[in-house]
Amino acid sequence: MNGLYCNESSQHYPSIADFKDLRPTIITNCIFNSFLTYTAIMFNVVTIYAIHKAATIAKPLKTLLLHLAFSDVAVGLFGQPLYISLLIKWLRMENPSCNAYLILSISGALFSLASSLGVVAVSIERFLAVHLHLRYQELVTHKRVVYMVISMWVYSTFVSLTTLWGLRSTRDAIGLASAAIGFILTFMFYIKIYLTVRRHKNQIQSMQIQKEAQSDEIKKFAALIKSTISIFYYHPSNVDFKELRSTIMANLIFNSFLTYTAVMLNIVTIYALHKASTIAKPLKTLLLHLAFSDVAVGLFGQPLYISLLVKWLQVETPSCDIYLMLSIYGYLCTGTSFLGMVAVSMERFLAVHLHLRYQELVTHKRVVTVVISIWVFSVLLSSITLWGPRSTRDAIGLVITAVGFILTFVFYIRIYLTVRRHKNQMQSIQIRGGAQSDAMKNFAARIKSTVGIFYVYVLFMICFLPSLISSAAIRIFGSSIVLKRFHLLSVTLIYLNSSLNPVIYCWKMRHVRHAILNILRNMFRSRNEPSR
């Protein structure tokens, strides 16, 4: 394991041949880090003492700031001295041992992950302080924050130690996912805080113009107030109906057609998948899950959206219940479809990666459990709006989307590398004139089905990304006729995905295509028999 890690480390750090060329850079880094080691320890020790003595800082915030300061002290005490010892070895033209690289990597991953999670936790705490207002002290307690800090250190230690088991790629993937989620969450929280501050500033100015006295309660609420974006940011209001009439009409006609195709094509696909005996049971179960969720879109989601479009054409404002039902059902269907796509990508990755151990580890029972979990989780997430703020549901949905995209991207990158290596093996066998084994043929068949699933994933991305872009644009730039028109079209594009998935199955998956052709042949035969 150490030898493998040493080979990987040589790609990032200088080799013996590079020492002479990099000598000035190494000397500069050595001097600079020697100075930074001292400042990192001394400044953060002083900061820890100052935070401890500051009685006016709330205990939850103080705990998180102390966590950040302690992790920075640990960097100065352990991380930087290890790096300096490595620099000195290079200056002496000595190649450090694999253990030195390994210890530096583990400590670097531990402290950097602990610090980044601490920054995210502070931004969450500040967001909750603004959002919860009077309930802040009741919900964000010192005990809960201490548990969070302990969890961050345990999680960081676990992730950093995965290198010891030869899972550096796993550690890097988890670290990348954690960093991406952290950046997205922190960015979103500070955008929310900025919008709150800006709105409150306008409120203060208007109150000053009107010369109204502000009570102590209003002054306290000024620092913690939280805005909730209305549903009308995304959908047309009474004023917009006339200008968006042509767009609403086009969406109504197109969705009326898509409702039929989504139901019929996916029912045929479900029957074809059920009849296709050559598809592995785990993959078949996940594809049936996707097809059932697409049928649900055609049976419930699109009719609700069509009723909304009809109301707008009649220049009527739909009731809040219709908006609520559409929002809940939209999240339910998109959540199950998206998580289903991630699950299929993971299943294909395991099929290609595990190879002979695939049938032993990826069982039908486990996949059924995953599918049930997806539906239960999606129901819980979509129903948050009934008892909690919509922003909470959106935040959870955004995090899941980010993690799902990152995981799927990593899976298909790994699949691509495996396929490329397998292709080279096949070519070498053909050059030597050898015959392909049954295992190699089965592996090639798995790769073909994986490519078909990849087309489904690309189509999913194309159909769903415009909706995410339009929602983000409305939140950042505010609502406008152009953005509302774009949002309406993007919603229809999401519904189009449910009708296009069966086409991809039929086009790229041979077993499904043959099953559908057999169904069509039997239908024509049954129609022709009475006429004889």
Side-chain angles (χ1 to χ4, degrees):
M1 185 271 292
N2 283 3
L4 176 63
Y5 183 81
C6 221
N7 293 331
E8 291 178 350
S9 298
S10 63
Q11 299 175 6
H12 303 280
Y13 295 117
S15 60
I16 295 174
D18 303 326
F19 288 160
K20 287 185 179 180
D21 295 330
L22 293 173
R23 187 175 178 82
T25 307
I26 294 170
I27 291 172
T28 305
N29 274 275
C30 192
I31 296 169
F32 197 52
N33 276 277
S34 300
F35 171 73
L36 289 179
T37 302
Y38 175 79
T39 55
I41 295 171
M42 295 307 297
F43 286 167
N44 281 288
V45 167
V46 172
T47 303
I48 289 168
Y49 182 77
I51 292 171
H52 177 68
K53 287 293 183 181
T56 54
I57 301 176
K59 268 195 172 182
L61 178 59
K62 182 187 287 189
T63 305
L64 292 172
L65 293 177
L66 286 172
H67 157 72
L68 284 175
F70 271 113
S71 61
D72 289 337
V73 168
V75 169
L77 283 173
F78 304 104
Q80 285 182 285
L82 281 169
Y83 184 53
I84 291 169
S85 67
L86 218 63
L87 293 169
I88 292 171
K89 285 273 189 183
W90 293 334
L91 280 176
R92 292 175 178 174
M93 307 288 286
E94 297 175 9
N95 206 8
S97 65
C98 287
N99 288 332
Y101 286 121
L102 188 63
I103 294 169
L104 180 66
S105 175
I106 291 172
S107 62
L110 171 62
F111 299 133
S112 61
L113 189 56
S115 295
S116 61
L117 290 174
V119 171
V120 176
V122 170
S123 64
I124 292 172
E125 187 274 340
R126 288 294 84 196
F127 168 74
L128 292 175
V130 172
H131 181 67
L132 295 176
H133 186 31
L134 297 176
R135 296 181 64 205
Y136 169 75
Q137 292 181 342
E138 176 190 346
L139 297 177
V140 185
T141 62
H142 178 245
K143 190 175 180 180
R144 289 175 181 173
V145 172
V146 169
Y147 285 148
M148 182 186 289
V149 170
I150 293 170
S151 302
M152 285 190 288
W153 279 105
V154 171
Y155 175 75
S156 302
T157 304
F158 174 76
V159 172
S160 61
L161 290 178
T162 51
T163 314
L164 293 176
W165 304 302
L167 301 171
R168 182 176 177 179
S169 58
T170 305
R171 187 202 70 182
D172 293 342
I174 296 171
L176 180 65
S178 301
I181 295 167
F183 282 132
I184 292 168
L185 282 175
T186 307
F187 177 77
M188 182 185 68
F189 289 139
Y190 281 114
I191 286 290
K192 290 272 192 180
I193 291 169
Y194 165 75
L195 293 173
T196 303
V197 170
R198 190 178 64 174
R199 194 178 78 243
H200 177 65
K201 186 179 177 182
N202 295 334
Q203 289 175 350
I204 295 292
Q205 288 174 347
S206 65
M207 287 179 179
Q208 287 175 347
I209 291 170
Q210 295 169 4
K211 295 180 180 180
E212 292 180 358
Q214 296 182 348
S215 65
D216 292 338
E217 185 61 28
I218 294 174
K219 288 179 181 178
K220 289 179 183 177
F221 187 68
L224 304 174
I225 192 168
K226 171 68 182 69
S227 61
T228 302
I229 295 174
S230 172
I231 190 73
F232 293 104
Y233 261 55
Y234 302 96
H235 297 303
S237 61
N238 290 333
V239 183
D240 305 326
F241 288 157
K242 288 185 179 180
E243 294 186 52
L244 292 173
R245 186 176 179 81
S246 58
T247 306
I248 294 169
M249 181 72 76
N251 274 275
L252 179 61
I253 295 168
F254 200 48
N255 276 279
S256 300
F257 171 72
L258 290 179
T259 302
Y260 176 79
T261 56
V263 174
M264 296 307 298
L265 291 177
N266 281 288
I267 287 175
V268 172
T269 302
I270 290 168
Y271 184 77
L273 287 169
H274 178 68
K275 288 292 183 182
S277 57
T278 52
I279 300 176
K281 268 194 172 183
L283 177 58
K284 183 187 287 189
T285 304
L286 292 172
L287 292 177
L288 284 170
H289 157 72
L290 287 175
F292 271 112
S293 62
D294 287 336
V295 169
V297 169
L299 284 175
F300 305 103
Q302 283 182 284
L304 274 172
Y305 187 53
I306 289 170
S307 68
L308 213 64
L309 294 169
V310 170
K311 285 278 187 182
W312 291 335
L313 276 180
Q314 294 172 348
V315 197
E316 296 178 11
T317 302
S319 65
C320 289
D321 291 336
I322 294 178
Y323 282 122
L324 188 62
M325 288 173 62
L326 184 66
S327 176
I328 291 171
Y329 203 81
Y331 249 85
L332 175 62
C333 292
T334 54
T336 52
S337 296
F338 180 71
L339 293 174
M341 284 302 312
V342 176
V344 171
S345 305
M346 186 182 293
E347 186 274 340
R348 288 293 84 195
F349 166 72
L350 294 174
V352 172
H353 187 67
L354 296 175
H355 196 20
L356 298 176
R357 295 182 63 206
Y358 168 75
Q359 291 181 342
E360 176 190 348
L361 297 177
V362 185
T363 62
H364 179 245
K365 188 177 180 180
R366 289 174 180 172
V367 173
V368 169
T369 305
V370 169
V371 169
I372 293 170
S373 303
I374 288 172
W375 277 100
V376 170
F377 179 78
S378 300
V379 169
L380 290 174
L381 179 62
S382 59
S383 59
I384 284 177
T385 317
L386 294 174
W387 64 78
R390 180 179 174 177
S391 58
T392 303
R393 185 198 65 180
D394 293 343
I396 297 171
L398 183 64
V399 172
I400 292 167
T401 303
V403 175
F405 280 137
I406 292 167
L407 284 176
T408 311
F409 177 76
V410 171
F411 289 145
Y412 280 114
I413 288 293
R414 296 291 296 274
I415 289 168
Y416 167 74
L417 294 174
T418 306
V419 168
R420 190 176 64 176
R421 189 175 69 249
H422 175 70
K423 188 178 179 182
N424 293 335
Q425 290 174 351
M426 295 279 287
Q427 288 174 347
S428 65
I429 290 171
Q430 289 174 354
I431 290 169
R432 292 197 301 266
Q436 295 181 18
S437 64
D438 291 337
M440 294 287 279
K441 289 178 181 178
N442 291 335
F443 190 66
R446 285 180 187 173
I447 289 172
K448 286 182 180 179
S449 63
T450 302
V451 172
I453 297 299
F454 178 70
Y455 276 94
V456 176
Y457 170 70
V458 171
L459 178 67
F460 184 88
M461 291 277 287
I462 292 170
C463 290
F464 275 76
L465 277 178
S467 178
L468 293 175
I469 293 168
S470 67
S471 298
I474 289 172
R475 281 184 175 270
I476 294 168
F477 302 110
S479 185
S480 67
I481 291 295
V482 175
L483 289 176
K484 284 183 178 181
R485 182 177 283 116
F486 179 53
H487 184 73
L488 288 173
L489 294 172
S490 69
V491 172
T492 299
L493 193 60
I494 290 175
Y495 289 133
L496 175 64
N497 178 254
S498 298
S499 297
L500 292 180
N501 280 339
V503 178
I504 300 294
Y505 299 147
C506 186
W507 173 41
K508 297 303 296 184
M509 300 183 72
R510 179 170 52 87
H511 307 300
V512 177
R513 183 168 64 251
H514 287 172
I516 290 174
L517 289 174
N518 288 333
I519 292 168
L520 294 174
R521 288 195 198 101
N522 292 333
M523 286 175 62
F524 283 118
R525 283 175 187 170
S526 61
R527 284 185 178 183
N528 292 332
E529 279 176 3
S531 61
R532 292 176 186 175

